[in-house]
Amino acid sequence: MLLAAGCGSSDEGGGDAKATAAVPAGFPVTVDNCGVKTTYERPPSRVVTIHQHPAELMLALGLKDRMAGTAFPDSAVLPELKKDYEAIPELAKKEPSFEKVLDAEPDFVYGGYGSAFAENEGRSRKAFADAGIDTHLNREYCGKKRVTMRDTYDEIRTIGKVFGVPDRADKLVADLEGRVGKATGKVEGEPEVPVFVYDSGDKNAFTAGGKSLGTELIRLAGGKNVFADLDDVFGDVSWEQVVERKPEVIAIYDYAGAGSVEEKKEFLLSQPALADVPAVRNKRFVVLPLTATLVGIRSAYAVEDLARGLHPESFR
């Protein structure tokens, strides 16, 4: 099996070989990502993304020509990126096996969730490093105390630096900041709307906690996550707790494999215990693709969608 030589060297035991071609302007670049320090002598040239939001970020930076494979689509791709996304080979509907990734001969693997590099499935970052392949994990899964929009902008700039396109990254960040600013300006001064995030679950509710980017997106949109005190990115809460906190809007996270949006709405509306919850009684739902609530380019879009759902009068 042919393995692509890593373009960088990591402290997890990656190959020591250095390419002999001239070093491009701005390189070498050293990045400390989730405790793995990697020095890139030149931009990666064959990239496999595991999970959708890293793929969309790469495409938004104009890096389609560097992409050798994608995996695990979980939402409809942004319309402006759809054609490019579909032109890239899809390695698997879920996380691909280590061998499947190697078949694509990447020099860089970019994971969206921690499961991209699941050690128990043979895809640890060390395993890739030992094969001469550099890795990068979305900073949302680096164990930080709380994820914010600043993490989104920093992630974009870091990837821009690794791939030698910092100007593109700065332009993309400016565009996204402008989108967020426009939405927050529309709802400035409006009272906070209590929001419950429904990801999934029947016996309990799986929801977004205070460490999630979702909590900040709700705040920017003029709302308040009723489970912002949950000390995690996601977690289970009881339906009794949902009733007690009286959310006025329910944000439904939409993604493959967790039931359709209509099924989720039907479930919530059919539960007698939830009948007096204001959001259920008034059928106030906002639907967000899960990819829009993660550290990636979609989070700026989510602020506007949430703001419209929480304060529709501000957008008339």
Side-chain angles (χ1 to χ4, degrees):
M1 182 179 296
L2 294 174
L3 298 181
C7 64
S9 60
S10 78
D11 61 2
E12 282 208 339
D16 294 327
K18 300 292 184 182
T20 57
V23 177
F27 285 80
V29 166
T30 298
V31 172
D32 190 343
N33 168 242
C34 300
V36 177
K37 185 175 288 187
T38 305
T39 296
Y40 299 89
E41 301 294 341
R42 57 190 34 77
S45 60
R46 286 186 62 81
V47 181
V48 166
T49 57
I50 302 178
H51 304 116
Q52 186 175 330
H53 47 301
E56 290 189 337
L57 195 161
M58 292 277 296
L59 291 174
L61 288 173
L63 297 170
K64 173 191 169 186
D65 62 325
R66 316 283 184 90
M67 298 179 68
T70 65
F72 211 144
D74 58 17
S75 302
V77 178
L78 281 173
E80 59 265 37
L81 302 177
K82 188 172 186 289
K83 183 178 178 181
D84 285 346
Y85 186 89
E86 291 177 347
I88 302 163
E90 183 181 285
L91 305 186
K93 292 295 183 186
K94 298 292 185 180
E95 289 95 349
S97 68
F98 182 69
E99 292 74 20
K100 186 71 173 177
V101 176
L102 294 188
D103 285 346
E105 299 184 354
D107 57 5
F108 184 90
V109 178
Y110 184 7
Y113 302 111
S115 57
F117 301 117
E119 187 171 354
N120 63 344
E121 295 183 14
R123 289 191 310 274
S124 70
R125 297 185 73 175
K126 184 180 187 306
F128 281 114
D130 288 345
I133 300 168
D134 294 316
T135 56
H136 188 91
L137 178 61
N138 186 295
R139 69 184 55 224
E140 189 161 2
Y141 287 84
C142 288
K144 288 187 63 175
K145 291 183 178 179
R146 184 166 174 265
V147 184
T148 69
M149 283 300 292
R150 179 53 51 196
D151 291 292
T152 290
Y153 304 143
D154 288 348
E155 180 81 358
I156 292 169
R157 288 194 170 104
T158 296
I159 295 300
K161 184 167 64 170
V162 168
F163 284 88
V165 291
D167 292 345
R168 293 184 204 173
D170 287 341
K171 184 176 185 298
L172 178 57
V173 167
D175 288 345
L176 297 179
E177 287 177 327
R179 184 181 288 270
V180 171
K182 187 175 180 181
T184 57
K186 288 274 192 180
V187 299
E188 188 175 359
E190 296 290 343
E192 286 184 337
V193 177
V195 179
F196 161 57
V197 172
Y198 181 51
D199 178 288
S200 57
D202 49 14
K203 295 191 179 353
N204 294 296
F206 192 57
T207 191
K211 291 183 178 178
S212 71
L213 182 59
T215 292
E216 168 142 311
L217 300 181
I218 291 168
R219 179 187 65 77
L220 290 169
K224 180 180 180 180
N225 181 1
V226 296
F227 288 104
D229 59 341
L230 179 63
D231 190 30
D232 209 337
V233 177
F234 285 96
D236 286 314
V237 297
S238 70
W239 292 110
E240 289 77 13
Q241 289 174 293
V242 176
V243 172
E244 288 169 2
R245 301 194 182 198
K246 300 181 174 63
E248 294 178 16
V249 173
I250 295 176
I252 296 177
Y253 283 3
D254 181 24
Y255 58 100
S260 69
V261 169
E262 289 310 312
E263 287 172 332
K264 290 181 179 181
K265 286 183 181 179
E266 184 178 342
F267 171 77
L268 293 167
L269 292 170
S270 68
Q271 301 305 302
L274 302 179
D276 289 330
V277 171
V280 174
R281 186 174 64 243
N282 298 319
K283 298 182 180 179
R284 289 193 68 188
F285 301 105
V286 178
V287 178
L288 294 175
L290 181 62
T291 49
T293 70
L294 305 169
V295 170
I297 63 168
R298 294 254 197 136
S299 49
Y301 293 70
V303 174
E304 180 179 354
D305 292 341
L306 274 167
R308 286 181 179 277
L310 302 186
H311 299 284
E313 66 286 348
S314 297
F315 290 84
R316 288 175 185 151

Coordinates of all heavy atoms in Angstrom, one line a residue, residues 194-198 205-212 215 218 224-247:
P194 N -36.3 32.7 26.0 CA -35.8 31.4 26.5 C -35.9 30.3 25.4 O -37.0 30.1 24.8 CB -36.7 31.1 27.6 CG -37.4 32.4 28.0 CD -37.5 33.1 26.7
V195 N -34.8 29.6 25.1 CA -34.7 28.6 24.1 C -34.3 27.3 24.6 O -33.3 27.2 25.4 CB -33.7 29.1 23.0 CG1 -33.7 28.0 21.8 CG2 -34.2 30.4 22.4
F196 N -35.0 26.2 24.2 CA -34.6 24.9 24.5 C -34.1 24.2 23.2 O -34.8 24.2 22.2 CB -35.7 24.1 25.1 CG -35.6 22.6 25.1 CD1 -34.5 22.0 25.6 CD2 -36.5 21.8 24.4 CE1 -34.4 20.6 25.6 CE2 -36.4 20.4 24.4 CZ -35.3 19.8 24.9
V197 N -32.9 23.7 23.2 CA -32.3 23.0 22.1 C -32.7 21.5 22.2 O -32.4 20.8 23.2 CB -30.8 23.1 22.0 CG1 -30.2 22.2 20.9 CG2 -30.4 24.5 21.8
Y198 N -33.4 21.0 21.2 CA -33.8 19.6 21.1 C -32.9 18.9 20.0 O -33.2 19.1 18.8 CB -35.3 19.4 20.9 CG -35.7 17.9 20.8 CD1 -35.3 17.1 21.8 CD2 -36.4 17.4 19.7 CE1 -35.7 15.7 21.8 CE2 -36.8 16.1 19.7 CZ -36.5 15.2 20.7 OH -36.8 13.9 20.7
A205 N -34.1 14.2 27.3 CA -33.8 15.1 26.1 C -32.3 15.3 26.0 O -31.7 15.7 27.0 CB -34.5 16.4 26.4
F206 N -31.8 15.1 24.9 CA -30.4 15.3 24.6 C -30.3 16.8 24.1 O -30.9 17.1 23.1 CB -29.8 14.3 23.6 CG -28.3 14.4 23.5 CD1 -27.5 14.2 24.6 CD2 -27.7 14.6 22.3 CE1 -26.1 14.2 24.5 CE2 -26.3 14.6 22.2 CZ -25.5 14.4 23.3
T207 N -29.6 17.6 24.8 CA -29.6 19.0 24.5 C -28.2 19.7 24.5 O -27.3 19.0 24.9 CB -30.5 19.8 25.5 OG1 -30.8 21.1 25.1 CG2 -29.9 19.8 26.9
A208 N -28.2 20.9 24.0 CA -26.9 21.6 24.0 C -26.7 22.3 25.4 O -27.6 23.0 25.9 CB -26.9 22.7 22.9
G209 N -25.5 22.1 25.9 CA -25.1 22.7 27.2 C -24.4 24.0 27.1 O -24.2 24.5 26.0
G210 N -23.9 24.5 28.2 CA -23.3 25.8 28.3 C -22.0 25.9 27.6 O -21.6 27.0 27.2
K211 N -21.3 24.8 27.3 CA -20.0 24.8 26.7 C -20.1 24.8 25.2 O -19.2 24.9 24.4 CB -19.1 23.7 27.1 CG -18.7 23.8 28.6 CD -17.7 22.6 28.9 CE -17.2 22.8 30.4 NZ -16.4 21.6 30.7
S212 N -21.4 24.6 24.7 CA -21.6 24.5 23.2 C -21.6 25.8 22.5 O -21.9 26.8 23.1 CB -22.9 23.8 23.0 OG -24.0 24.6 23.3
T215 N -25.0 27.6 22.5 CA -25.4 28.6 23.5 C -25.0 30.0 23.1 O -25.8 31.0 23.3 CB -24.7 28.2 24.8 OG1 -25.3 27.0 25.3 CG2 -24.9 29.3 25.9
I218 N -27.3 31.2 20.2 CA -28.6 31.7 20.7 C -28.5 33.1 21.4 O -29.4 33.9 21.2 CB -29.2 30.6 21.8 CG1 -29.5 29.3 21.1 CG2 -30.4 31.2 22.5 CD1 -29.8 28.2 22.0
K224 N -31.7 33.1 25.1 CA -31.0 32.5 26.2 C -31.2 31.0 26.2 O -32.4 30.6 26.3 CB -31.3 33.1 27.5 CG -30.6 32.5 28.7 CD -31.0 33.2 30.0 CE -30.2 32.6 31.1 NZ -30.5 33.2 32.4
N225 N -30.2 30.2 26.1 CA -30.3 28.7 26.3 C -30.8 28.4 27.7 O -30.1 28.7 28.6 CB -29.0 28.1 26.0 CG -29.0 26.6 26.0 OD1 -30.1 26.0 26.3 ND2 -27.9 25.9 25.8
V226 N -31.9 27.8 27.8 CA -32.4 27.5 29.2 C -31.6 26.4 29.9 O -31.7 26.3 31.1 CB -33.9 27.0 29.1 CG1 -34.8 28.1 28.6 CG2 -34.1 25.7 28.3
F227 N -30.7 25.8 29.2 CA -29.8 24.8 29.8 C -28.3 25.3 29.7 O -27.4 24.5 29.6 CB -30.0 23.4 29.3 CG -31.2 22.8 29.7 CD1 -32.3 22.7 28.9 CD2 -31.4 22.3 31.0 CE1 -33.5 22.1 29.3 CE2 -32.6 21.8 31.5 CZ -33.6 21.7 30.6
A228 N -28.1 26.6 29.7 CA -26.8 27.1 29.7 C -26.0 26.7 30.9 O -24.7 26.8 30.9 CB -26.8 28.7 29.5
D229 N -26.6 26.3 32.0 CA -25.9 25.9 33.2 C -25.5 24.5 33.1 O -24.8 24.0 34.1 CB -26.8 26.1 34.4 CG -28.1 25.4 34.4 OD1 -28.5 25.0 33.3 OD2 -28.7 25.2 35.4
L230 N -25.8 23.8 32.1 CA -25.3 22.4 31.9 C -23.9 22.4 31.5 O -23.5 23.0 30.5 CB -26.1 21.7 30.8 CG -25.8 20.2 30.5 CD1 -26.0 19.3 31.7 CD2 -26.6 19.8 29.3
D231 N -23.0 21.9 32.4 CA -21.6 22.1 32.2 C -20.9 21.1 31.2 O -20.1 20.3 31.6 CB -20.9 21.9 33.6 CG -19.4 22.4 33.6 OD1 -19.1 23.2 32.8 OD2 -18.6 21.8 34.4
D232 N -21.4 21.2 30.0 CA -20.9 20.3 28.9 C -21.3 20.9 27.6 O -22.1 21.8 27.5 CB -21.5 18.9 29.1 CG -20.5 17.8 28.6 OD1 -19.7 18.1 27.7 OD2 -20.6 16.7 29.0
V233 N -20.7 20.3 26.5 CA -21.1 20.7 25.2 C -22.5 20.2 24.9 O -23.4 20.9 24.4 CB -20.1 20.2 24.1 CG1 -20.6 20.6 22.7 CG2 -18.8 20.8 24.4
F234 N -22.8 18.9 25.2 CA -24.1 18.3 25.1 C -24.3 17.5 26.3 O -23.4 17.0 27.0 CB -24.2 17.4 23.8 CG -24.3 18.2 22.5 CD1 -23.2 18.4 21.7 CD2 -25.6 18.6 22.1 CE1 -23.3 19.1 20.5 CE2 -25.7 19.3 20.9 CZ -24.6 19.5 20.1
G235 N -25.6 17.2 26.6 CA -25.9 16.3 27.7 C -27.4 16.0 27.8 O -28.2 16.6 27.1
D236 N -27.7 15.1 28.7 CA -29.1 14.6 28.9 C -29.7 15.5 30.0 O -29.1 15.7 31.0 CB -29.2 13.2 29.2 CG -29.0 12.3 28.0 OD1 -29.5 12.5 27.0 OD2 -28.2 11.3 28.1
V237 N -31.0 15.9 29.8 CA -31.8 16.5 30.9 C -33.1 15.8 30.9 O -33.5 15.1 29.9 CB -32.0 18.0 30.6 CG1 -30.6 18.7 30.7 CG2 -32.7 18.3 29.3
S238 N -33.9 15.9 32.0 CA -35.2 15.3 32.1 C -36.2 16.2 31.5 O -36.1 17.4 31.4 CB -35.5 15.0 33.5 OG -35.8 16.3 34.2
W239 N -37.3 15.6 31.1 CA -38.4 16.4 30.5 C -39.1 17.3 31.6 O -39.6 18.3 31.3 CB -39.5 15.5 29.9 CG -39.0 14.8 28.6 CD1 -38.7 13.5 28.5 CD2 -38.7 15.4 27.4 NE1 -38.2 13.2 27.2 CE2 -38.2 14.4 26.5 CE3 -38.7 16.7 26.9 CZ2 -37.8 14.7 25.2 CZ3 -38.3 17.0 25.7 CH2 -37.9 16.0 24.8
E240 N -39.0 16.8 32.8 CA -39.5 17.7 33.9 C -38.7 19.0 34.0 O -39.3 20.0 34.2 CB -39.4 16.9 35.3 CG -40.3 15.7 35.4 CD -39.9 14.5 34.7 OE1 -38.8 14.4 34.2 OE2 -40.8 13.6 34.6
Q241 N -37.4 18.9 33.8 CA -36.6 20.1 33.8 C -37.0 21.0 32.6 O -37.0 22.2 32.8 CB -35.1 19.7 33.6 CG -34.5 19.1 34.9 CD -33.1 18.6 34.7 OE1 -32.8 17.7 33.9 NE2 -32.1 19.3 35.3
V242 N -37.3 20.4 31.5 CA -37.7 21.2 30.3 C -39.0 22.0 30.7 O -39.1 23.2 30.4 CB -37.9 20.3 29.1 CG1 -38.5 21.2 27.9 CG2 -36.6 19.7 28.7
V243 N -39.9 21.3 31.3 CA -41.2 21.9 31.7 C -40.9 23.1 32.6 O -41.5 24.2 32.5 CB -42.1 20.9 32.3 CG1 -43.4 21.5 32.9 CG2 -42.5 19.8 31.2
E244 N -40.1 22.8 33.6 CA -39.8 23.8 34.7 C -39.2 25.1 34.1 O -39.5 26.2 34.6 CB -38.8 23.2 35.7 CG -39.4 22.2 36.6 CD -38.4 21.5 37.4 OE1 -37.2 21.8 37.3 OE2 -38.7 20.6 38.2
R245 N -38.4 25.0 33.0 CA -37.7 26.1 32.5 C -38.5 26.9 31.4 O -38.0 28.0 31.0 CB -36.3 25.7 32.0 CG -35.5 25.0 33.1 CD -34.1 24.9 32.9 NE -33.5 24.2 34.0 CZ -32.2 24.2 34.3 NH1 -31.3 24.8 33.4 NH2 -31.7 23.5 35.3
K246 N -39.6 26.4 31.1 CA -40.6 27.2 30.2 C -40.0 27.8 29.0 O -40.1 29.1 28.8 CB -41.3 28.3 31.1 CG -42.1 27.8 32.3 CD -42.7 28.9 33.0 CE -43.6 28.4 34.1 NZ -42.9 27.7 35.2
P247 N -39.3 27.1 28.1 CA -38.8 27.7 26.9 C -39.9 28.2 26.0 O -41.0 27.6 25.9 CB -38.1 26.5 26.2 CG -38.8 25.3 26.7 CD -39.1 25.6 28.2

